[in-house]
Amino acid sequence: MKKTVLLLPGDGIGPEIVDEAEKVLEWLHRYCGVELVLERGLIGGAAYDATGTPLPDETLTLARRADAILLGAVGGPKWEPLDYAVRPERGLLGIRKQLDLYCNLRPAKVFPQLVDASTLKPDIVSGIDIMVVRELTADIYFGEPRGVTVLADGRQRGVNTLTYTSDEIERVARSAFEVARRRRRQVCSVDKANVLEATELWRNVVTQIQQQHYPDIQLSHMYVDNAAMQLIRAPKQFDVILTTNMFGDILSDEASMLTGSIGMLPSASLGQHHALYEPIHGSAPDIAGRGLANPLATILSVAMMFRYSLDRPDIADRIERAVNRVLDQGLRTADIAQAGLHKIGTVAMGDAVVAELE
Ligand code: NAD
């Protein structure tokens, strides 16, 4: 069946890395019997420059009818002076909210070839395979009231509100348990239930869903401060980490650094009807336009797309095997370069993956 994939390159290195992912998609279309229609849209600073808004209606229309979306990255110094409402990053937050992409999957997996790229000792990181499941559309980033007010005595008061409803917790908990069923069947739910009522509700709902619907999954609970520590102390104890929007924001970046390079890590943001895939890194303005960016996080995001949206786990495996073989050959972009290995640029890395797909 024909599947439509919307490409949203965005800003900075976004267009360079999405071009390499597109090569992979085109190869799969041509040689793997996957009928793909590739469309392109504008988002972020590129969209602002062309249309005056970081998320044009036309992009949303294309996104709503696509089977999956692949995004590069948004943002850069050029747009920093702009008002918050039209900053490139608003395009990304906007598309997540508009498509109700409530479940963010961020795998942190260490490629054996890159064990030495981590700042932690090899025996701590080798073999890490964690999936962080982060709630993405609620919590303190969206709760009301919010803002800064001036009090009667002239002091200023800043407010943000941490809110969760039981249905918002339930749906992301179900996603995490489903993901765990395809892995080692362990979920560690991270909260701060000892001091925050909203996350006590989180703990109760997660427990209830597990007891009623997922008795085959082993569920544990951990306070966020301990989780931050355990991720560095003994990361291999984790299979799936399920957590709130803000805790997930922080813990998933921490988990990503266990693996060595930000240029290697993909992500998926899933809703009931839509899905968006993107590397976890930003637009890397410092290296944009120089052919230095590592396209592997974006190519691995394509693998996630085949696993979670296009129902072809076999192709996901194939892409991941190709990336593994490229690393085995000693090919490295600058961010993962090691002495004695062959340093290559963005386009050569994309070509190497395509060659290994065969
Ligand atoms: P960044 O992730 O863009 O870059 C951090 C560092 O990692 C830089 O040194 C960069 O060169 C390097 N890096 C990132 N991706 C790489 C890759 N694929 N290959 C090689 N090296 C890579 O984060 P930042 O510098 O904090 O932010 C830059 C811009 O990106 C900002 O405007 C920020 O708002 C935006 N941003 C966007 C997203 C997104 O689109 N999802 C995420 C984070 C930041």
Side-chain angles (χ1 to χ4, degrees):
M1 206 171 75
K2 202 153 63 176
K3 300 283 186 188
T4 305
V5 176
L6 175 64
L7 305 176
L8 298 176
D11 311 317
I13 61 170
E16 299 167 55
I17 53 181
V18 168
D19 279 354
E20 299 315 307
E22 187 176 16
K23 275 186 203 162
V24 169
L25 287 163
E26 274 170 355
W27 189 92
L28 294 167
H29 172 77
R30 211 165 300 144
Y31 301 110
C32 264
V34 199
E35 218 183 321
L36 293 173
V37 178
L38 302 182
E39 296 185 325
R40 276 184 176 250
L42 289 170
I43 195 164
Y48 175 81
D49 287 349
T51 68
T53 161
L55 183 58
D57 288 343
E58 197 190 342
T59 299
L60 265 180
T61 305
L62 290 170
R64 287 206 168 95
R65 66 166 196 238
D67 293 291
I69 304 158
L70 181 71
L71 184 131
V74 297
K78 178 180 172 192
W79 300 283
E80 270 163 24
L82 291 177
D83 188 79
Y84 268 103
V86 289
R87 291 249 186 111
E89 291 78 4
R90 299 301 293 196
L92 186 54
L93 289 179
I95 199 168
R96 287 175 179 164
K97 191 74 184 166
Q98 291 288 330
L99 302 184
D100 200 17
L101 304 174
Y102 60 84
C103 173
N104 185 219
L105 303 183
R106 283 187 171 203
K109 192 170 174 173
V110 177
F111 285 86
Q113 303 90 333
L114 300 181
V115 160
D116 291 329
S118 174
T119 46
L120 296 190
K121 293 186 188 124
D123 62 311
I124 301 282
V125 295
S126 92
I128 285 180
D129 181 2
I130 302 171
M131 178 68 83
V132 179
V133 179
R134 167 190 170 195
E135 199 288 327
L136 206 58
T137 50
D139 200 347
I140 199 159
Y141 301 146
F142 295 96
E144 297 283 348
R146 63 186 298 155
V148 178
T149 51
V150 182
L151 301 175
D153 62 5
R155 287 178 301 150
Q156 294 186 80
R157 179 167 182 261
V159 175
N160 288 96
T161 307
L162 196 179
T163 67
Y164 267 111
T165 55
S166 48
D167 57 311
E168 287 168 339
I169 302 168
E170 179 176 337
R171 62 185 187 170
V172 73
R174 282 178 181 274
S175 303
F177 291 130
E178 292 293 337
V179 166
R181 271 195 177 148
R182 290 183 238 166
R183 296 171 49 95
R184 302 191 298 281
R185 294 179 180 250
Q186 292 166 27
V187 172
C188 177
S189 173
V190 173
D191 58 45
K192 191 73 181 166
N194 50 341
V195 287
L196 297 174
E197 289 85 346
T199 73
E200 189 182 21
L201 175 69
W202 175 278
R203 185 177 285 220
N204 292 340
V205 173
V206 170
T207 304
Q208 196 184 356
I209 297 299
Q210 185 269 339
Q211 285 171 353
Q212 285 174 359
H213 304 285
Y214 298 92
D216 55 314
I217 305 292
Q218 194 187 320
L219 173 66
S220 59
H221 301 276
M222 200 177 272
Y223 296 135
V224 64
D225 38 352
N226 186 23
M229 188 180 78
Q230 295 297 334
L231 265 175
I232 300 296
R233 194 186 73 83
K236 275 181 267 190
Q237 68 184 284
F238 295 108
D239 175 18
V240 174
I241 294 177
L242 162 65
T243 191
T244 61
N245 200 348
M246 181 164 63
F247 297 160
D249 192 358
I250 299 162
L251 292 181
S252 63
D253 267 29
E254 186 188 357
S256 75
M257 280 325 292
L258 301 171
T259 69
S261 173
I262 200 167
M264 293 297 299
L265 293 172
S267 78
S269 302
L270 311 175
Q272 216 69 266
H273 307 290
H274 304 282
L276 182 145
Y277 298 83
E278 57 176 324
I280 73 156
H281 58 72
S283 58
D286 51 335
I287 57 167
R290 294 164 56 197
L292 294 175
N294 184 348
L296 293 180
T298 316
I299 290 172
L300 290 167
S301 300
V302 173
M304 289 189 85
M305 178 188 293
F306 277 96
R307 183 164 289 125
Y308 293 104
S309 285
L310 304 183
D311 209 17
R312 290 293 301 265
D314 57 318
I315 290 186
D317 289 345
R318 188 174 186 144
I319 297 170
E320 286 164 1
R321 275 199 306 272
V323 169
N324 249 304
R325 281 199 292 267
V326 166
L327 295 174
D328 280 343
Q329 288 169 29
L331 301 177
R332 301 282 191 274
T333 43
D335 57 310
I336 50 172
Q338 287 164 267
L341 298 177
H342 187 43
K343 197 149 98 175
I344 57 174
T346 312
V347 173
M349 184 56 99
D351 290 343
V353 174
V354 169
E356 283 302 330
L357 281 171
E358 292 164 22

